[in-house]
Amino acid sequence: MRLFVAVDVGDAVRREVARVVSSLSHMLEAVKTPPRVVWVKPAALHVTIKFLGEVPERELPAIVTALTPPLTIEPFTLEWRGLGAFPGPRQPRALWVGVVNGGAPLAQVEAEVSRRLAGPAIDLADRTFLPHLTVGRIKMPGAGVDWPKVLQAVEVRQVQSAVERVTLYRSQLTQFGPNYTGVVSAPLVGAGTD
């Protein structure tokens, strides 16, 4: 089964991303040969904390046990602003909205999740954690797109996400896109909370 750990972004962020995607789509349709971009559906938007990939079903109980207890991290707010691209704006493969505030506590959540999952027999890729919200994946680059200009032309209005829990999701790939099912969630609680 395909698993990942993530935090939800909330409806205000979903609405803003839908507006941004609409603006980007209109701009990209105007170029000589538009790129083919697969946009992330608003309901599927999330911040990936740790991608586990394909995991044998026998490992699921240990993962659930590791991720069930509350995290002793205060709930916090993420603030979103600005568009970017991976690996870079010249030849992007993915488009994202960036975090301007809340990255430090989000990194604490990532570190705690990684620590908890170090026990189960999972191959956790040792990648630098870069908090972002993927909004689209470029499948065909098209021609005549000035990506740096496009990314600067669309403003992301500052919106916020309340981070109060972390969730283990199961991802099932279908012809219509991925379906995500929550398996277990752990609340964020302050260090002094019982």
Side-chain angles (χ1 to χ4, degrees):
M1 70 181 66
R2 191 176 170 90
L3 300 173
F4 66 93
V5 180
V7 297
D8 187 34
V9 296
D11 290 337
V13 173
R14 288 187 177 89
R15 285 189 297 273
E16 179 60 8
V17 168
R19 185 194 66 76
V20 166
V21 164
S22 177
S23 297
L24 286 169
S25 295
H26 289 306
M27 290 180 74
L28 295 173
E29 287 167 6
V31 300
K32 183 177 180 179
T33 307
R36 187 165 83 77
V37 181
V38 175
W39 301 107
V40 177
K41 294 176 181 149
L45 290 169
H46 62 271
V47 181
T48 301
I49 299 298
K50 199 53 96 174
F51 181 71
L52 307 181
E54 289 295 331
V55 175
E57 197 157 340
R58 68 181 178 277
E59 299 294 334
L60 185 61
I63 295 168
V64 168
T65 298
L67 293 175
T68 299
L71 280 71
T72 55
I73 298 169
E74 290 285 338
F76 60 96
T77 300
L78 289 174
E79 290 184 39
W80 301 95
R81 191 169 190 87
L83 285 171
F86 290 134
R90 295 278 173 217
Q91 294 181 323
R93 288 195 311 264
L95 304 175
W96 49 262
V97 175
V99 171
V100 290
N101 284 313
L106 193 61
Q108 288 180 315
V109 170
E110 187 272 341
E112 176 61 15
V113 167
S114 294
R115 185 191 68 73
R116 289 180 181 202
L117 292 176
I122 299 171
D123 181 25
L124 294 176
D126 191 22
R127 288 190 232 165
T128 302
F129 180 62
L130 299 169
H132 66 280
L133 183 60
T134 301
V135 297
R137 291 179 179 80
I138 296 143
K139 298 300 182 182
M140 301 203 30
V145 181
D146 183 345
W147 283 106
K149 186 177 177 181
V150 167
L151 295 173
Q152 288 183 343
V154 178
E155 180 187 0
V156 178
R157 297 179 189 140
Q158 203 160 355
V159 289
Q160 298 181 340
S161 301
V163 178
E164 299 172 341
R165 65 184 50 257
V166 65
T167 303
L168 173 68
Y169 287 97
R170 180 177 184 176
S171 173
Q172 294 176 294
L173 303 177
T174 73
Q175 65 185 29
F176 305 108
N179 286 331
Y180 302 139
T181 306
V183 177
V184 67
S185 288
L188 272 61
V189 296
T193 308
D194 289 325

